[in-house]
Amino acid sequence: MQGIDFGPDNKVRLPQRFNVSVPFIDRHQGEGRGAKVAIRTVHGEAITYAELAERVNRAGNALLALGLKPGDRMLMVVKDCPAFFYLFWGAIKAGIVAVPPNTLLRAADYAYMFEDSGCKLVVHSSEFAGEIEPALKQAPVKALSVDAFLAEMEKASPLLEARLASPTDDCFWLYSSGSTGRPKVAVHAHRDMVVTSELYGVRVLGVGENDVSYSAAKLFFAYGLGNAMTFPL
């Protein structure tokens, strides 16, 4: 990855200021993969790396236009679909902290996470409205359906400069399952996805450019996030 050094000592050396969306999203066009398919869906949709990069930019700009600022949390109760990629990486590129919780939770769990995370926006797939809407009554916060957010993306600019950060700055949060009480936040830094993708995805699993990844684990799980998104990207 450009600007990132993987030494023989298995240590990953990163620039002092960078944004992890650049090696995972932006670099593919510069390396000649813009027309290569990045995501295939069960509905026959094929999204190229160039299309993904543009939509990530639009998502980041849409989040900023909705009033979110760098450092704010955006909670996304989103099923596994291309919009998950747009929201997750768009937030990160804009300096916003993405928080994708388990999509199988109940209203009380979501209400707790809305308050605990201090999120400024909730974006949710329509399938989960039955739990999200009661949660919003318990813990009011601005919310949009995925369809409404995609409409906002259509109005947003396709150009977005990545907001630089330290490799150890907050990038995204994942909540634990709560098996020992309330779910707890695991804070992931910008460097973390680079480290796991290189040291595990590439060096252990041997993931290569011509592989196709399919994950039974959902994207909101740390393992699914690697299998279905960060390792392939």
Side-chain angles (χ1 to χ4, degrees):
M1 296 183 189
Q2 187 176 8
I4 301 173
D5 176 39
F6 304 108
D9 56 1
N10 284 338
K11 291 184 178 179
V12 179
R13 297 172 181 85
L14 301 169
Q16 290 186 341
R17 304 291 292 174
F18 92 122
N19 184 298
V20 74
S21 69
V22 175
F24 281 90
I25 301 296
D26 293 351
R27 75 182 174 98
H28 295 291
Q29 293 192 78
E31 295 180 3
R33 284 185 291 276
K36 182 178 172 67
V37 173
I39 306 168
R40 293 189 188 277
T41 75
V42 295
H43 305 294
E45 188 178 7
I47 295 142
T48 66
Y49 280 97
E51 290 169 333
L52 176 60
E54 178 188 324
R55 293 171 193 179
V56 164
N57 287 347
R58 289 185 184 275
N61 284 321
L63 290 170
L64 294 171
L66 287 165
L68 277 76
K69 298 178 176 60
D72 285 345
R73 271 78 63 202
M74 183 273 301
L75 201 141
M76 43 183 291
V77 189
V78 178
K79 64 183 180 181
D80 284 18
C81 64
F84 188 109
F85 285 64
Y86 310 155
L87 276 160
F88 184 83
W89 291 107
I92 290 170
K93 191 168 184 179
I96 296 160
V97 178
V99 187
N102 190 321
T103 60
L104 304 176
L105 300 179
R106 295 293 178 258
D109 301 306
Y110 290 128
Y112 165 75
M113 290 178 179
F114 297 168
E115 292 183 340
D116 182 69
S117 67
C119 65
K120 300 297 184 183
L121 176 69
V122 174
V123 182
H124 64 90
S125 298
S126 58
E127 291 91 333
F128 310 129
E131 299 296 337
I132 296 298
E133 289 174 1
L136 291 169
K137 293 178 181 178
Q138 298 175 49
V141 63
K142 186 172 184 176
L144 287 176
S145 69
V146 166
D147 288 342
F149 183 77
L150 291 174
E152 294 297 319
M153 277 177 53
E154 288 295 320
K155 299 182 287 185
S157 169
L159 303 176
L160 176 64
E161 190 74 22
R163 184 176 179 85
L164 299 182
S166 163
T168 56
D169 282 348
D170 287 15
C171 181
F172 68 100
W173 293 3
L174 293 178
Y175 272 93
S176 69
S177 63
S179 57
T180 57
R182 286 290 197 182
K184 300 170 183 64
V185 166
V187 178
H188 295 264
H190 274 263
R191 71 187 304 272
D192 294 352
M193 289 185 283
V194 177
V195 172
T196 55
S197 294
E198 171 64 19
L199 300 187
Y200 183 64
V202 174
R203 299 194 192 181
V204 175
L205 298 182
V207 175
E209 183 176 343
N210 295 319
D211 290 330
V212 176
S213 296
Y214 176 88
S215 177
K218 300 297 184 183
L219 286 168
F220 64 76
F221 287 116
Y223 201 63
L225 196 76
N227 287 343
M229 186 165 71
T230 62
F231 297 169
L233 291 177

PDB file of all heavy atoms in Angstrom, residues 196-227:
ATOM      1  N   THR A 196      -4.525  -5.757  10.525  1.00  0.00           N
ATOM      2  CA  THR A 196      -5.207  -7.052  10.427  1.00  0.00           C
ATOM      3  C   THR A 196      -5.260  -7.562   8.993  1.00  0.00           C
ATOM      4  O   THR A 196      -5.111  -8.764   8.746  1.00  0.00           O
ATOM      5  CB  THR A 196      -6.632  -6.966  11.003  1.00  0.00           C
ATOM      6  OG1 THR A 196      -7.351  -5.915  10.346  1.00  0.00           O
ATOM      7  CG2 THR A 196      -6.606  -6.692  12.492  1.00  0.00           C
ATOM      8  N   SER A 197      -5.464  -6.656   8.042  1.00  0.00           N
ATOM      9  CA  SER A 197      -5.552  -7.076   6.640  1.00  0.00           C
ATOM     10  C   SER A 197      -4.225  -7.616   6.130  1.00  0.00           C
ATOM     11  O   SER A 197      -4.195  -8.615   5.404  1.00  0.00           O
ATOM     12  CB  SER A 197      -6.011  -5.911   5.766  1.00  0.00           C
ATOM     13  OG  SER A 197      -7.323  -5.537   6.088  1.00  0.00           O
ATOM     14  N   GLU A 198      -3.135  -6.965   6.490  1.00  0.00           N
ATOM     15  CA  GLU A 198      -1.821  -7.408   6.017  1.00  0.00           C
ATOM     16  C   GLU A 198      -1.332  -8.643   6.781  1.00  0.00           C
ATOM     17  O   GLU A 198      -0.987  -9.659   6.176  1.00  0.00           O
ATOM     18  CB  GLU A 198      -0.812  -6.271   6.159  1.00  0.00           C
ATOM     19  CG  GLU A 198       0.638  -6.684   5.898  1.00  0.00           C
ATOM     20  CD  GLU A 198       0.897  -7.153   4.465  1.00  0.00           C
ATOM     21  OE1 GLU A 198       0.084  -6.836   3.567  1.00  0.00           O
ATOM     22  OE2 GLU A 198       1.918  -7.833   4.248  1.00  0.00           O
ATOM     23  N   LEU A 199      -1.332  -8.556   8.111  1.00  0.00           N
ATOM     24  CA  LEU A 199      -0.721  -9.639   8.887  1.00  0.00           C
ATOM     25  C   LEU A 199      -1.582 -10.893   8.953  1.00  0.00           C
ATOM     26  O   LEU A 199      -1.049 -12.000   9.065  1.00  0.00           O
ATOM     27  CB  LEU A 199      -0.388  -9.146  10.301  1.00  0.00           C
ATOM     28  CG  LEU A 199       0.598  -7.972  10.376  1.00  0.00           C
ATOM     29  CD1 LEU A 199       0.976  -7.682  11.827  1.00  0.00           C
ATOM     30  CD2 LEU A 199       1.859  -8.250   9.558  1.00  0.00           C
ATOM     31  N   TYR A 200      -2.907 -10.740   8.859  1.00  0.00           N
ATOM     32  CA  TYR A 200      -3.764 -11.925   8.882  1.00  0.00           C
ATOM     33  C   TYR A 200      -4.358 -12.219   7.504  1.00  0.00           C
ATOM     34  O   TYR A 200      -4.200 -13.311   6.975  1.00  0.00           O
ATOM     35  CB  TYR A 200      -4.880 -11.771   9.914  1.00  0.00           C
ATOM     36  CG  TYR A 200      -5.745 -13.005  10.019  1.00  0.00           C
ATOM     37  CD1 TYR A 200      -5.208 -14.211  10.466  1.00  0.00           C
ATOM     38  CD2 TYR A 200      -7.088 -12.983   9.652  1.00  0.00           C
ATOM     39  CE1 TYR A 200      -5.984 -15.354  10.546  1.00  0.00           C
ATOM     40  CE2 TYR A 200      -7.877 -14.120   9.731  1.00  0.00           C
ATOM     41  CZ  TYR A 200      -7.319 -15.300  10.172  1.00  0.00           C
ATOM     42  OH  TYR A 200      -8.082 -16.444  10.233  1.00  0.00           O
ATOM     43  N   GLY A 201      -5.020 -11.209   6.915  1.00  0.00           N
ATOM     44  CA  GLY A 201      -5.671 -11.438   5.626  1.00  0.00           C
ATOM     45  C   GLY A 201      -4.715 -11.882   4.540  1.00  0.00           C
ATOM     46  O   GLY A 201      -4.980 -12.833   3.793  1.00  0.00           O
ATOM     47  N   VAL A 202      -3.577 -11.194   4.432  1.00  0.00           N
ATOM     48  CA  VAL A 202      -2.610 -11.505   3.380  1.00  0.00           C
ATOM     49  C   VAL A 202      -1.632 -12.596   3.811  1.00  0.00           C
ATOM     50  O   VAL A 202      -1.462 -13.611   3.132  1.00  0.00           O
ATOM     51  CB  VAL A 202      -1.843 -10.228   2.952  1.00  0.00           C
ATOM     52  CG1 VAL A 202      -0.732 -10.578   1.963  1.00  0.00           C
ATOM     53  CG2 VAL A 202      -2.809  -9.224   2.335  1.00  0.00           C
ATOM     54  N   ARG A 203      -0.983 -12.407   4.955  1.00  0.00           N
ATOM     55  CA  ARG A 203       0.120 -13.294   5.318  1.00  0.00           C
ATOM     56  C   ARG A 203      -0.325 -14.630   5.899  1.00  0.00           C
ATOM     57  O   ARG A 203       0.423 -15.600   5.850  1.00  0.00           O
ATOM     58  CB  ARG A 203       1.056 -12.586   6.304  1.00  0.00           C
ATOM     59  CG  ARG A 203       1.679 -11.320   5.721  1.00  0.00           C
ATOM     60  CD  ARG A 203       2.829 -10.824   6.552  1.00  0.00           C
ATOM     61  NE  ARG A 203       3.228  -9.474   6.149  1.00  0.00           N
ATOM     62  CZ  ARG A 203       4.227  -8.814   6.710  1.00  0.00           C
ATOM     63  NH1 ARG A 203       4.929  -9.362   7.679  1.00  0.00           N
ATOM     64  NH2 ARG A 203       4.522  -7.593   6.305  1.00  0.00           N
ATOM     65  N   VAL A 204      -1.538 -14.683   6.468  1.00  0.00           N
ATOM     66  CA  VAL A 204      -2.025 -15.957   7.024  1.00  0.00           C
ATOM     67  C   VAL A 204      -3.025 -16.615   6.064  1.00  0.00           C
ATOM     68  O   VAL A 204      -2.846 -17.762   5.666  1.00  0.00           O
ATOM     69  CB  VAL A 204      -2.668 -15.756   8.417  1.00  0.00           C
ATOM     70  CG1 VAL A 204      -3.277 -17.064   8.917  1.00  0.00           C
ATOM     71  CG2 VAL A 204      -1.628 -15.247   9.411  1.00  0.00           C
ATOM     72  N   LEU A 205      -4.070 -15.884   5.673  1.00  0.00           N
ATOM     73  CA  LEU A 205      -5.078 -16.466   4.782  1.00  0.00           C
ATOM     74  C   LEU A 205      -4.626 -16.510   3.327  1.00  0.00           C
ATOM     75  O   LEU A 205      -5.137 -17.304   2.548  1.00  0.00           O
ATOM     76  CB  LEU A 205      -6.383 -15.675   4.882  1.00  0.00           C
ATOM     77  CG  LEU A 205      -7.080 -15.649   6.244  1.00  0.00           C
ATOM     78  CD1 LEU A 205      -8.384 -14.869   6.146  1.00  0.00           C
ATOM     79  CD2 LEU A 205      -7.341 -17.059   6.762  1.00  0.00           C
ATOM     80  N   GLY A 206      -3.700 -15.623   2.970  1.00  0.00           N
ATOM     81  CA  GLY A 206      -3.221 -15.595   1.593  1.00  0.00           C
ATOM     82  C   GLY A 206      -4.188 -14.964   0.612  1.00  0.00           C
ATOM     83  O   GLY A 206      -4.202 -15.319  -0.572  1.00  0.00           O
ATOM     84  N   VAL A 207      -5.014 -14.025   1.075  1.00  0.00           N
ATOM     85  CA  VAL A 207      -5.977 -13.365   0.194  1.00  0.00           C
ATOM     86  C   VAL A 207      -5.231 -12.606  -0.902  1.00  0.00           C
ATOM     87  O   VAL A 207      -4.285 -11.864  -0.636  1.00  0.00           O
ATOM     88  CB  VAL A 207      -6.870 -12.393   0.995  1.00  0.00           C
ATOM     89  CG1 VAL A 207      -7.784 -11.608   0.058  1.00  0.00           C
ATOM     90  CG2 VAL A 207      -7.694 -13.166   2.014  1.00  0.00           C
ATOM     91  N   GLY A 208      -5.654 -12.799  -2.152  1.00  0.00           N
ATOM     92  CA  GLY A 208      -5.023 -12.137  -3.286  1.00  0.00           C
ATOM     93  C   GLY A 208      -6.035 -11.423  -4.156  1.00  0.00           C
ATOM     94  O   GLY A 208      -7.254 -11.579  -3.984  1.00  0.00           O
ATOM     95  N   GLU A 209      -5.549 -10.667  -5.125  1.00  0.00           N
ATOM     96  CA  GLU A 209      -6.410  -9.798  -5.932  1.00  0.00           C
ATOM     97  C   GLU A 209      -7.453 -10.567  -6.734  1.00  0.00           C
ATOM     98  O   GLU A 209      -8.524 -10.046  -7.026  1.00  0.00           O
ATOM     99  CB  GLU A 209      -5.548  -8.955  -6.881  1.00  0.00           C
ATOM    100  CG  GLU A 209      -6.343  -7.980  -7.715  1.00  0.00           C
ATOM    101  CD  GLU A 209      -5.474  -7.088  -8.573  1.00  0.00           C
ATOM    102  OE1 GLU A 209      -4.259  -6.998  -8.305  1.00  0.00           O
ATOM    103  OE2 GLU A 209      -6.007  -6.489  -9.526  1.00  0.00           O
ATOM    104  N   ASN A 210      -7.188 -11.803  -7.093  1.00  0.00           N
ATOM    105  CA  ASN A 210      -8.115 -12.559  -7.932  1.00  0.00           C
ATOM    106  C   ASN A 210      -9.104 -13.409  -7.134  1.00  0.00           C
ATOM    107  O   ASN A 210      -9.907 -14.147  -7.714  1.00  0.00           O
ATOM    108  CB  ASN A 210      -7.333 -13.453  -8.895  1.00  0.00           C
ATOM    109  CG  ASN A 210      -6.522 -12.635  -9.887  1.00  0.00           C
ATOM    110  OD1 ASN A 210      -7.002 -11.627 -10.394  1.00  0.00           O
ATOM    111  ND2 ASN A 210      -5.289 -13.053 -10.143  1.00  0.00           N
ATOM    112  N   ASP A 211      -9.056 -13.297  -5.809  1.00  0.00           N
ATOM    113  CA  ASP A 211      -9.974 -14.059  -4.964  1.00  0.00           C
ATOM    114  C   ASP A 211     -11.338 -13.377  -4.868  1.00  0.00           C
ATOM    115  O   ASP A 211     -11.452 -12.161  -5.023  1.00  0.00           O
ATOM    116  CB  ASP A 211      -9.404 -14.208  -3.552  1.00  0.00           C
ATOM    117  CG  ASP A 211      -8.195 -15.130  -3.511  1.00  0.00           C
ATOM    118  OD1 ASP A 211      -8.131 -16.049  -4.339  1.00  0.00           O
ATOM    119  OD2 ASP A 211      -7.321 -14.928  -2.649  1.00  0.00           O
ATOM    120  N   VAL A 212     -12.357 -14.182  -4.620  1.00  0.00           N
ATOM    121  CA  VAL A 212     -13.698 -13.687  -4.333  1.00  0.00           C
ATOM    122  C   VAL A 212     -14.027 -14.085  -2.897  1.00  0.00           C
ATOM    123  O   VAL A 212     -13.881 -15.247  -2.525  1.00  0.00           O
ATOM    124  CB  VAL A 212     -14.745 -14.285  -5.298  1.00  0.00           C
ATOM    125  CG1 VAL A 212     -16.152 -13.829  -4.919  1.00  0.00           C
ATOM    126  CG2 VAL A 212     -14.425 -13.888  -6.732  1.00  0.00           C
ATOM    127  N   SER A 213     -14.468 -13.127  -2.099  1.00  0.00           N
ATOM    128  CA  SER A 213     -14.747 -13.395  -0.685  1.00  0.00           C
ATOM    129  C   SER A 213     -16.244 -13.439  -0.423  1.00  0.00           C
ATOM    130  O   SER A 213     -16.990 -12.582  -0.908  1.00  0.00           O
ATOM    131  CB  SER A 213     -14.119 -12.310   0.197  1.00  0.00           C
ATOM    132  OG  SER A 213     -12.710 -12.323   0.089  1.00  0.00           O
ATOM    133  N   TYR A 214     -16.658 -14.428   0.343  1.00  0.00           N
ATOM    134  CA  TYR A 214     -18.040 -14.537   0.806  1.00  0.00           C
ATOM    135  C   TYR A 214     -17.985 -14.882   2.279  1.00  0.00           C
ATOM    136  O   TYR A 214     -17.322 -15.853   2.670  1.00  0.00           O
ATOM    137  CB  TYR A 214     -18.801 -15.620   0.035  1.00  0.00           C
ATOM    138  CG  TYR A 214     -20.207 -15.824   0.548  1.00  0.00           C
ATOM    139  CD1 TYR A 214     -21.261 -15.065   0.040  1.00  0.00           C
ATOM    140  CD2 TYR A 214     -20.486 -16.748   1.538  1.00  0.00           C
ATOM    141  CE1 TYR A 214     -22.551 -15.235   0.513  1.00  0.00           C
ATOM    142  CE2 TYR A 214     -21.764 -16.926   2.024  1.00  0.00           C
ATOM    143  CZ  TYR A 214     -22.797 -16.167   1.500  1.00  0.00           C
ATOM    144  OH  TYR A 214     -24.068 -16.331   1.989  1.00  0.00           O
ATOM    145  N   SER A 215     -18.651 -14.101   3.099  1.00  0.00           N
ATOM    146  CA  SER A 215     -18.569 -14.305   4.543  1.00  0.00           C
ATOM    147  C   SER A 215     -19.928 -14.643   5.128  1.00  0.00           C
ATOM    148  O   SER A 215     -20.911 -13.937   4.896  1.00  0.00           O
ATOM    149  CB  SER A 215     -18.023 -13.044   5.223  1.00  0.00           C
ATOM    150  OG  SER A 215     -18.014 -13.208   6.631  1.00  0.00           O
ATOM    151  N   ALA A 216     -19.983 -15.728   5.903  1.00  0.00           N
ATOM    152  CA  ALA A 216     -21.207 -16.042   6.645  1.00  0.00           C
ATOM    153  C   ALA A 216     -21.398 -15.057   7.788  1.00  0.00           C
ATOM    154  O   ALA A 216     -22.524 -14.668   8.109  1.00  0.00           O
ATOM    155  CB  ALA A 216     -21.137 -17.468   7.176  1.00  0.00           C
ATOM    156  N   ALA A 217     -20.292 -14.647   8.409  1.00  0.00           N
ATOM    157  CA  ALA A 217     -20.356 -13.639   9.473  1.00  0.00           C
ATOM    158  C   ALA A 217     -20.738 -12.286   8.872  1.00  0.00           C
ATOM    159  O   ALA A 217     -20.219 -11.887   7.840  1.00  0.00           O
ATOM    160  CB  ALA A 217     -19.005 -13.545  10.184  1.00  0.00           C
ATOM    161  N   LYS A 218     -21.655 -11.589   9.515  1.00  0.00           N
ATOM    162  CA  LYS A 218     -22.138 -10.304   9.017  1.00  0.00           C
ATOM    163  C   LYS A 218     -21.085  -9.210   9.206  1.00  0.00           C
ATOM    164  O   LYS A 218     -20.175  -9.332  10.025  1.00  0.00           O
ATOM    165  CB  LYS A 218     -23.435  -9.911   9.731  1.00  0.00           C
ATOM    166  CG  LYS A 218     -24.570 -10.900   9.553  1.00  0.00           C
ATOM    167  CD  LYS A 218     -24.992 -11.010   8.093  1.00  0.00           C
ATOM    168  CE  LYS A 218     -26.198 -11.926   7.930  1.00  0.00           C
ATOM    169  NZ  LYS A 218     -26.571 -12.096   6.512  1.00  0.00           N
ATOM    170  N   LEU A 219     -21.265  -8.115   8.474  1.00  0.00           N
ATOM    171  CA  LEU A 219     -20.292  -7.030   8.515  1.00  0.00           C
ATOM    172  C   LEU A 219     -20.172  -6.377   9.884  1.00  0.00           C
ATOM    173  O   LEU A 219     -19.120  -5.824  10.213  1.00  0.00           O
ATOM    174  CB  LEU A 219     -20.660  -5.966   7.474  1.00  0.00           C
ATOM    175  CG  LEU A 219     -20.384  -6.330   6.009  1.00  0.00           C
ATOM    176  CD1 LEU A 219     -21.064  -5.328   5.080  1.00  0.00           C
ATOM    177  CD2 LEU A 219     -18.888  -6.381   5.731  1.00  0.00           C
ATOM    178  N   PHE A 220     -21.239  -6.421  10.702  1.00  0.00           N
ATOM    179  CA  PHE A 220     -21.145  -5.778  12.009  1.00  0.00           C
ATOM    180  C   PHE A 220     -20.263  -6.552  12.986  1.00  0.00           C
ATOM    181  O   PHE A 220     -19.869  -6.024  14.023  1.00  0.00           O
ATOM    182  CB  PHE A 220     -22.530  -5.511  12.623  1.00  0.00           C
ATOM    183  CG  PHE A 220     -23.334  -6.766  12.928  1.00  0.00           C
ATOM    184  CD1 PHE A 220     -23.042  -7.558  14.018  1.00  0.00           C
ATOM    185  CD2 PHE A 220     -24.393  -7.131  12.110  1.00  0.00           C
ATOM    186  CE1 PHE A 220     -23.784  -8.694  14.308  1.00  0.00           C
ATOM    187  CE2 PHE A 220     -25.155  -8.264  12.386  1.00  0.00           C
ATOM    188  CZ  PHE A 220     -24.854  -9.048  13.485  1.00  0.00           C
ATOM    189  N   PHE A 221     -19.962  -7.819  12.690  1.00  0.00           N
ATOM    190  CA  PHE A 221     -19.006  -8.586  13.482  1.00  0.00           C
ATOM    191  C   PHE A 221     -17.583  -8.233  13.042  1.00  0.00           C
ATOM    192  O   PHE A 221     -17.332  -8.051  11.847  1.00  0.00           O
ATOM    193  CB  PHE A 221     -19.198 -10.098  13.275  1.00  0.00           C
ATOM    194  CG  PHE A 221     -20.412 -10.676  13.921  1.00  0.00           C
ATOM    195  CD1 PHE A 221     -21.426 -11.221  13.156  1.00  0.00           C
ATOM    196  CD2 PHE A 221     -20.558 -10.687  15.299  1.00  0.00           C
ATOM    197  CE1 PHE A 221     -22.557 -11.778  13.737  1.00  0.00           C
ATOM    198  CE2 PHE A 221     -21.679 -11.232  15.896  1.00  0.00           C
ATOM    199  CZ  PHE A 221     -22.680 -11.780  15.114  1.00  0.00           C
ATOM    200  N   ALA A 222     -16.657  -8.182  13.971  1.00  0.00           N
ATOM    201  CA  ALA A 222     -15.270  -7.869  13.607  1.00  0.00           C
ATOM    202  C   ALA A 222     -14.744  -8.873  12.579  1.00  0.00           C
ATOM    203  O   ALA A 222     -14.041  -8.484  11.634  1.00  0.00           O
ATOM    204  CB  ALA A 222     -14.391  -7.868  14.857  1.00  0.00           C
ATOM    205  N   TYR A 223     -15.085 -10.146  12.730  1.00  0.00           N
ATOM    206  CA  TYR A 223     -14.578 -11.163  11.808  1.00  0.00           C
ATOM    207  C   TYR A 223     -15.216 -10.994  10.427  1.00  0.00           C
ATOM    208  O   TYR A 223     -14.548 -11.113   9.403  1.00  0.00           O
ATOM    209  CB  TYR A 223     -14.847 -12.556  12.371  1.00  0.00           C
ATOM    210  CG  TYR A 223     -13.953 -13.617  11.771  1.00  0.00           C
ATOM    211  CD1 TYR A 223     -12.568 -13.570  11.943  1.00  0.00           C
ATOM    212  CD2 TYR A 223     -14.487 -14.671  11.034  1.00  0.00           C
ATOM    213  CE1 TYR A 223     -11.742 -14.535  11.396  1.00  0.00           C
ATOM    214  CE2 TYR A 223     -13.671 -15.648  10.483  1.00  0.00           C
ATOM    215  CZ  TYR A 223     -12.305 -15.583  10.674  1.00  0.00           C
ATOM    216  OH  TYR A 223     -11.491 -16.529  10.115  1.00  0.00           O
ATOM    217  N   GLY A 224     -16.513 -10.703  10.403  1.00  0.00           N
ATOM    218  CA  GLY A 224     -17.182 -10.472   9.132  1.00  0.00           C
ATOM    219  C   GLY A 224     -16.689  -9.215   8.444  1.00  0.00           C
ATOM    220  O   GLY A 224     -16.571  -9.170   7.220  1.00  0.00           O
ATOM    221  N   LEU A 225     -16.388  -8.194   9.233  1.00  0.00           N
ATOM    222  CA  LEU A 225     -15.857  -6.952   8.680  1.00  0.00           C
ATOM    223  C   LEU A 225     -14.553  -7.218   7.935  1.00  0.00           C
ATOM    224  O   LEU A 225     -14.310  -6.659   6.865  1.00  0.00           O
ATOM    225  CB  LEU A 225     -15.626  -5.939   9.804  1.00  0.00           C
ATOM    226  CG  LEU A 225     -15.432  -4.489   9.397  1.00  0.00           C
ATOM    227  CD1 LEU A 225     -16.754  -3.854   9.010  1.00  0.00           C
ATOM    228  CD2 LEU A 225     -14.794  -3.695  10.539  1.00  0.00           C
ATOM    229  N   GLY A 226     -13.720  -8.100   8.493  1.00  0.00           N
ATOM    230  CA  GLY A 226     -12.482  -8.464   7.813  1.00  0.00           C
ATOM    231  C   GLY A 226     -12.738  -9.341   6.605  1.00  0.00           C
ATOM    232  O   GLY A 226     -12.290  -9.037   5.495  1.00  0.00           O
ATOM    233  N   ASN A 227     -13.478 -10.422   6.803  1.00  0.00           N
ATOM    234  CA  ASN A 227     -13.702 -11.394   5.722  1.00  0.00           C
ATOM    235  C   ASN A 227     -14.381 -10.786   4.503  1.00  0.00           C
ATOM    236  O   ASN A 227     -14.020 -11.069   3.358  1.00  0.00           O
ATOM    237  CB  ASN A 227     -14.584 -12.546   6.228  1.00  0.00           C
ATOM    238  CG  ASN A 227     -13.861 -13.473   7.166  1.00  0.00           C
ATOM    239  OD1 ASN A 227     -12.639 -13.476   7.234  1.00  0.00           O
ATOM    240  ND2 ASN A 227     -14.609 -14.262   7.922  1.00  0.00           N
TER     241      ASN A 227
END
